[in-house]
Each structure stands twice: as structure tokens, then as C-alpha cells.
């Protein structure tokens, strides 16, 4: 299954470049992460591939890696 992740390229929040966000099932979620990073003077690049258990910005009971995807 193809998933998407964001590799942070500029510092934002308390995270330095190299922080990996995701993986996300939907490319749309990865774009949302980049948009959020840019709102805080950061940036990131989206990569696609097979990166393990997916997560999502829209999750329910996300107690561990991947969480449980909500029906949106």
C-alpha cells in the first residue's frame, strides 16, 4: 500500500529539520501537514512509498502508531 510522509526541512514547533511526520494514507493529509509547518515558518517535503502502519490527521483513539482511522 502506498503511503505518504512528510520530512521536515525547516525548523517549526520544537522540531528540527529531519523530523518525519506520518505515514498518511491520503496524500491530502501530507499536504495539510506541510501547510501547517509553513504557517509556523517551517517547511517539509512529501515522499510516497511503503512506510509502515499509516496514521492520519483525522484519527480516533490514536493511542499508538497508526491509531484508528475515522470514517470521514
Amino acid at each position: 500500500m502506498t503511503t505518504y510522509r512528510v520530512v521536515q526541512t525547516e525548523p517549526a514547533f520544537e522540531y528540527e529539520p529531519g523530523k518525519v511526520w506520518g505515514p498518511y494514507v491520503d496524500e491530502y493529509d501530507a499536504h495539510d501537514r506541510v501547510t501547517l509547518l509553513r504557517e509556523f515558518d517551517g517547511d517539509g517535503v512529501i515522499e510516497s512509498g511503503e512506510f509502515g502502519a499509516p496514521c492520519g490527521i483525522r484519527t480516533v483513539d490514536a493511542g499508538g502508531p497508526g491509531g484508528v482511522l475515522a470514517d470521514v
Side-chain angles (χ1 to χ4, degrees), residues 16-39:
E16 295 299 318
K19 165 76 174 148
V20 176
W21 300 92
Y24 304 105
V25 173
D26 296 319
E27 188 174 6
Y28 178 84
D29 289 337
H31 283 283
D32 278 353
R33 174 59 63 187
V34 172
T35 299
L36 183 63
L37 288 171
R38 289 177 180 163
E39 288 176 5

Side-chain angles (χ1 to χ4, degrees):
M1 164 192 254
T2 298
T3 55
Y4 305 89
R5 68 181 183 184
V6 174
V7 179
Q8 191 167 327
T9 58
E10 296 291 330
F13 316 114
E14 70 260 17
Y15 301 105
E16 295 299 318
K19 165 76 174 148
V20 176
W21 300 92
Y24 304 105
V25 173
D26 296 319
E27 188 174 6
Y28 178 84
D29 289 337
H31 283 283
D32 278 353
R33 174 59 63 187
V34 172
T35 299
L36 183 63
L37 288 171
R38 289 177 180 163
E39 288 176 5
F40 289 89
D41 297 325
D43 207 352
V45 295
I46 297 172
E47 298 178 342
S48 63
E50 295 186 17
F51 301 116
C55 67
I57 290 176
R58 297 178 290 269
T59 59
V60 176
D61 296 329
V68 177
L69 293 179
D71 290 328
V72 180

